[in-house]
mmCIF file of all heavy atoms in Angstrom:
data_model
loop_
_atom_site.group_PDB
_atom_site.id
_atom_site.type_symbol
_atom_site.label_atom_id
_atom_site.label_comp_id
_atom_site.label_asym_id
_atom_site.label_seq_id
_atom_site.Cartn_x
_atom_site.Cartn_y
_atom_site.Cartn_z
ATOM 1 N N PHE L 50 -43.345 -8.728 8.389
ATOM 2 C CA PHE L 50 -43.253 -10.170 8.632
ATOM 3 C C PHE L 50 -42.984 -10.411 10.102
ATOM 4 O O PHE L 50 -41.988 -9.975 10.673
ATOM 5 C CB PHE L 50 -42.098 -10.807 7.837
ATOM 6 C CG PHE L 50 -42.313 -10.691 6.321
ATOM 7 C CD1 PHE L 50 -41.972 -9.510 5.708
ATOM 8 C CD2 PHE L 50 -42.849 -11.718 5.636
ATOM 9 C CE1 PHE L 50 -42.165 -9.389 4.303
ATOM 10 C CE2 PHE L 50 -43.072 -11.608 4.222
ATOM 11 C CZ PHE L 50 -42.723 -10.423 3.571
ATOM 12 N N VAL L 51 -43.926 -11.061 10.810
ATOM 13 C CA VAL L 51 -43.767 -11.414 12.223
ATOM 14 C C VAL L 51 -43.027 -12.724 12.260
ATOM 15 O O VAL L 51 -43.297 -13.687 11.544
ATOM 16 C CB VAL L 51 -45.101 -11.409 12.983
ATOM 17 C CG1 VAL L 51 -46.001 -12.532 12.485
ATOM 18 C CG2 VAL L 51 -44.846 -11.569 14.467
ATOM 19 N N VAL L 52 -41.954 -12.785 13.071
ATOM 20 C CA VAL L 52 -41.130 -13.971 13.177
ATOM 21 C C VAL L 52 -41.740 -14.914 14.214
ATOM 22 O O VAL L 52 -41.961 -14.536 15.324
ATOM 23 C CB VAL L 52 -39.682 -13.606 13.569
ATOM 24 C CG1 VAL L 52 -38.822 -14.848 13.668
ATOM 25 C CG2 VAL L 52 -39.083 -12.598 12.621
ATOM 26 N N THR L 53 -41.978 -16.182 13.798
ATOM 27 C CA THR L 53 -42.504 -17.200 14.692
ATOM 28 C C THR L 53 -41.502 -18.287 14.831
ATOM 29 O O THR L 53 -40.545 -18.387 14.082
ATOM 30 C CB THR L 53 -43.840 -17.769 14.160
ATOM 31 O OG1 THR L 53 -43.587 -18.324 12.866
ATOM 32 C CG2 THR L 53 -44.902 -16.645 13.988
ATOM 33 N N GLY L 54 -41.717 -19.137 15.830
ATOM 34 C CA GLY L 54 -40.866 -20.328 15.979
ATOM 35 C C GLY L 54 -39.554 -20.128 16.690
ATOM 36 O O GLY L 54 -38.708 -20.978 16.656
ATOM 37 N N LEU L 55 -39.364 -18.939 17.268
ATOM 38 C CA LEU L 55 -38.117 -18.691 18.018
ATOM 39 C C LEU L 55 -38.245 -19.306 19.439
ATOM 40 O O LEU L 55 -39.387 -19.360 19.968
ATOM 41 C CB LEU L 55 -37.857 -17.172 18.141
ATOM 42 C CG LEU L 55 -37.574 -16.403 16.866
ATOM 43 C CD1 LEU L 55 -37.464 -14.947 17.178
ATOM 44 C CD2 LEU L 55 -36.242 -16.906 16.285
ATOM 45 N N PRO L 56 -37.132 -19.699 20.033
ATOM 46 C CA PRO L 56 -37.230 -20.240 21.402
ATOM 47 C C PRO L 56 -37.695 -19.162 22.393
ATOM 48 O O PRO L 56 -37.376 -18.015 22.241
ATOM 49 C CB PRO L 56 -35.795 -20.674 21.707
ATOM 50 C CG PRO L 56 -34.929 -20.220 20.598
ATOM 51 C CD PRO L 56 -35.840 -19.672 19.508
ATOM 52 N N ASP L 57 -38.565 -19.630 23.315
ATOM 53 C CA ASP L 57 -39.187 -18.677 24.254
ATOM 54 C C ASP L 57 -38.181 -18.410 25.392
ATOM 55 O O ASP L 57 -38.356 -17.348 26.090
ATOM 56 C CB ASP L 57 -40.428 -19.269 24.888
ATOM 57 C CG ASP L 57 -41.526 -19.389 23.886
ATOM 58 O OD1 ASP L 57 -41.540 -18.608 22.887
ATOM 59 O OD2 ASP L 57 -42.368 -20.249 24.065
ATOM 60 N N ASP L 58 -37.226 -19.247 25.670
ATOM 61 C CA ASP L 58 -36.456 -19.169 26.905
ATOM 62 C C ASP L 58 -35.026 -18.680 26.749
ATOM 63 O O ASP L 58 -34.267 -18.646 27.702
ATOM 64 C CB ASP L 58 -36.442 -20.565 27.600
ATOM 65 C CG ASP L 58 -35.847 -21.639 26.700
ATOM 66 O OD1 ASP L 58 -35.726 -21.380 25.437
ATOM 67 O OD2 ASP L 58 -35.522 -22.706 27.201
ATOM 68 N N GLN L 59 -34.646 -18.333 25.541
ATOM 69 C CA GLN L 59 -33.247 -17.919 25.347
ATOM 70 C C GLN L 59 -33.111 -16.918 24.159
ATOM 71 O O GLN L 59 -34.027 -16.908 23.321
ATOM 72 C CB GLN L 59 -32.327 -19.139 25.154
ATOM 73 C CG GLN L 59 -32.729 -19.949 23.953
ATOM 74 C CD GLN L 59 -31.936 -21.258 23.853
ATOM 75 O OE1 GLN L 59 -31.030 -21.494 24.666
ATOM 76 N NE2 GLN L 59 -32.305 -22.119 22.959
ATOM 77 N N SER L 60 -31.990 -16.266 24.124
ATOM 78 C CA SER L 60 -31.700 -15.436 22.938
ATOM 79 C C SER L 60 -31.347 -16.334 21.786
ATOM 80 O O SER L 60 -30.964 -17.505 22.008
ATOM 81 C CB SER L 60 -30.641 -14.428 23.217
ATOM 82 O OG SER L 60 -29.431 -15.092 23.486
ATOM 83 N N VAL L 61 -31.359 -15.792 20.578
ATOM 84 C CA VAL L 61 -31.052 -16.615 19.397
ATOM 85 C C VAL L 61 -30.261 -15.790 18.372
ATOM 86 O O VAL L 61 -30.500 -14.546 18.262
ATOM 87 C CB VAL L 61 -32.374 -17.196 18.770
ATOM 88 C CG1 VAL L 61 -33.272 -16.064 18.258
ATOM 89 C CG2 VAL L 61 -32.097 -18.149 17.640
#
Side-chain angles (χ1 to χ4, degrees):
F50 297 82
V51 64
V52 181
T53 61
L55 294 175
D57 293 336
D58 59 345
Q59 60 188 353
S60 64
V61 63

